């Protein structure tokens, strides 16, 4: 039995990508929301929580550009068992919160650390070395980082492969961890290839029980028609391969999980 696929529709960006073809979706309309770009205000957060209230955190959630990566906090808030969070991102997303009553795409990991009592550990994978060095300290062994510099050496891959996680994991992927040949995003990007990202994900999927997954990193529409088509094609290919990887893993483990798509520019 195939997992369900649900599309939360904000701006229809995924409709332009070929990876959605030949799939059946349940649509959830989110085109009426304001106060959600990079920062999510109190009213927008309440309405988003209402829209996802009937869904479990299990499955795959596509959440458009990195501007909306804070949605990962809303999905992980629904987990009611000890879990670890594995974040693939060129940015650690652990900046100090500028507005206490708002979620932010740049501080959501820090928010999860400070508010989710079920969270056991956070693993940040592929972030830029200077950003890792500038991260907020004080979390001890609760936060572990594998920077893109670490992953450029075999030793870093070996340490990642040997990592022991003693509870289920939630995986969050921002495609800005990838190089420009593998994804086109709104933010500066890292150096991983799509094959390297899939290899790292494969290590987790083989070893760990996965609660759920989300993927962001879409790109805003370009004024250049041909550039926009290139960006849609490259992101569609990345989304297609990541979706296939996660679905194959879910099916091989006999998991009938919801697959949720969220879209917003």
């Amino acid at each position: 039995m195939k997992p369900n696929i649900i599309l939360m529709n904000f701006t229809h960006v995924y409709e332009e990508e070929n990876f959605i073809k030949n799939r059946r979706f349940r649509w959830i309309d989110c085109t009426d929301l304001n106060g959600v770009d990079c920062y999510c205000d109190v009213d927008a957060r309440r309405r988003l929580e209402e829209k996802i209230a009937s869904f479990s955190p299990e499955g795959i959630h596509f959440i458009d550009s990195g501007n909306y990566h804070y949605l990962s906090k809303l999905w992980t808030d629904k987990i009611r068992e000890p879990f670890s969070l594995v974040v693939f991102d060129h940015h650690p997303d652990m900046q100090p919160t500028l507005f206490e009553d708002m979620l932010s795409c740049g501080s959501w990991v820090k928010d999860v650390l400070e508010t989710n009592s079920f969270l056991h550990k956070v693993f940040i994978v592929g972030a830029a070395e200077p950003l890792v060095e500038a991260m907020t300290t004080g979390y001890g062994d609760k936060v572990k980082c594998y920077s893109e510099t670490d992953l450029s050496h075999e030793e870093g891959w070996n340490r990642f492969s040997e990592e022991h996680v003693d509870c289920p994991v939630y995986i969050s992927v921002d495609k800005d961890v990838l190089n420009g040949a593998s994804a086109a995003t709104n933010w500066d990007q890292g150096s991983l290839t799509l094959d390297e990202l899939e290899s790292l994900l494969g290590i987790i999927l083989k070893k760990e029980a996965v609660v759920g997954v989300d993927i962001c990193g879409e790109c805003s529409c370009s004024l250049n028609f041909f550039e926009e088509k290139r960006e849609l094609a490259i992101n569609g290919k990345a989304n297609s391969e990541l979706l296939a990887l996660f679905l194959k893993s879910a099916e091989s483990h006999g998991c009938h999980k919801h697959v949720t798509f969220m879209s917003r520019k």
Side-chain angles (χ1 to χ4, degrees):
M1 181 178 179
K2 296 284 187 180
N4 292 325
I5 301 177
I6 301 166
L7 173 61
M8 294 184 70
N9 183 39
F10 289 79
T11 60
H12 315 288
V13 64
Y14 292 116
E15 294 177 43
E16 303 300 322
E17 295 181 7
N18 287 333
F19 85 102
I20 71 163
K21 291 183 177 179
N22 303 317
R23 295 192 179 276
R24 299 179 63 183
F25 296 85
R26 288 181 57 192
W27 290 71
I28 300 175
D29 182 24
C30 296
T31 58
D32 57 335
L33 296 181
N34 296 306
V36 292
D37 191 357
C38 288
Y39 293 91
C40 180
D41 65 31
V42 175
D43 182 61
R45 175 174 178 167
R46 176 184 58 79
R47 297 191 66 189
L48 281 167
E49 289 172 336
E50 290 173 351
K51 288 178 182 292
I52 68 173
S54 62
F55 301 103
S56 81
E58 297 179 343
I60 306 168
H61 320 95
F62 282 83
I63 55 178
D64 208 325
S65 86
N67 291 17
Y68 312 97
H69 206 168
Y70 60 77
L71 288 164
S72 301
K73 173 168 169 47
L74 299 189
W75 285 108
T76 54
D77 281 350
K78 297 165 74 68
I79 299 174
R80 289 293 179 264
E81 63 177 326
F83 75 100
S84 288
L85 174 63
V86 184
V87 183
F88 291 85
D89 201 318
H90 187 56
H91 312 86
D93 290 351
M94 285 189 58
Q95 300 173 13
T97 303
L98 294 178
F99 305 101
E100 291 186 3
D101 58 345
M102 287 189 180
L103 292 177
S104 164
C105 64
S107 63
W108 71 270
V109 174
K110 188 172 185 293
D111 292 340
V112 176
L113 275 164
E114 295 179 353
T115 63
N116 195 317
S117 61
F118 292 99
L119 181 65
H120 182 62
K121 278 187 178 182
V122 173
F123 299 87
I124 298 173
V125 187
E129 186 78 28
L131 297 179
V132 171
E133 293 174 353
M135 275 173 43
T136 302
T137 58
Y139 297 102
D141 292 338
K142 200 164 185 177
V143 178
K144 300 195 71 172
C145 294
Y146 296 86
S147 72
E148 63 181 348
T149 302
D150 293 329
L151 298 174
S152 66
H153 305 290
E154 185 177 353
E155 180 184 352
W157 277 75
N158 289 338
R159 285 194 296 111
F160 180 82
S161 298
E162 293 166 0
E163 187 67 63
H164 177 67
V165 182
D166 55 4
C167 56
V169 300
Y170 184 94
I171 301 171
S172 183
V173 177
D174 189 331
K175 293 199 298 289
D176 70 12
V177 77
L178 296 169
N179 62 26
S182 301
T185 78
N186 286 342
W187 299 83
D188 60 303
Q189 294 181 222
S191 59
L192 288 181
T193 66
L194 184 56
D195 285 344
E196 288 172 332
L197 174 59
E198 290 176 349
S199 295
L200 289 164
L201 288 167
I203 293 170
I204 299 171
L205 294 172
K206 182 178 180 180
K207 294 172 56 178
E208 313 298 344
V210 178
V211 178
V213 177
D214 62 51
I215 301 168
C216 67
E218 305 313 304
C219 193
S220 298
C221 287
S222 169
L223 295 177
N224 184 312
F225 174 80
F226 296 104
E227 181 64 15
E228 180 180 341
K229 288 297 183 183
R230 186 195 71 84
E231 292 168 350
L232 290 169
I234 196 171
N235 284 333
K237 179 179 184 294
N239 287 334
S240 180
E241 292 197 20
L242 292 172
L243 178 58
L245 177 69
F246 291 127
L247 290 178
K248 181 179 180 180
S249 175
E251 291 169 2
S252 68
H253 288 84
C255 301
H256 307 320
K257 297 180 179 180
H258 292 289
V259 181
T260 305
F261 288 73
M262 303 180 68
S263 167
R264 172 73 167 114
K265 285 184 182 174

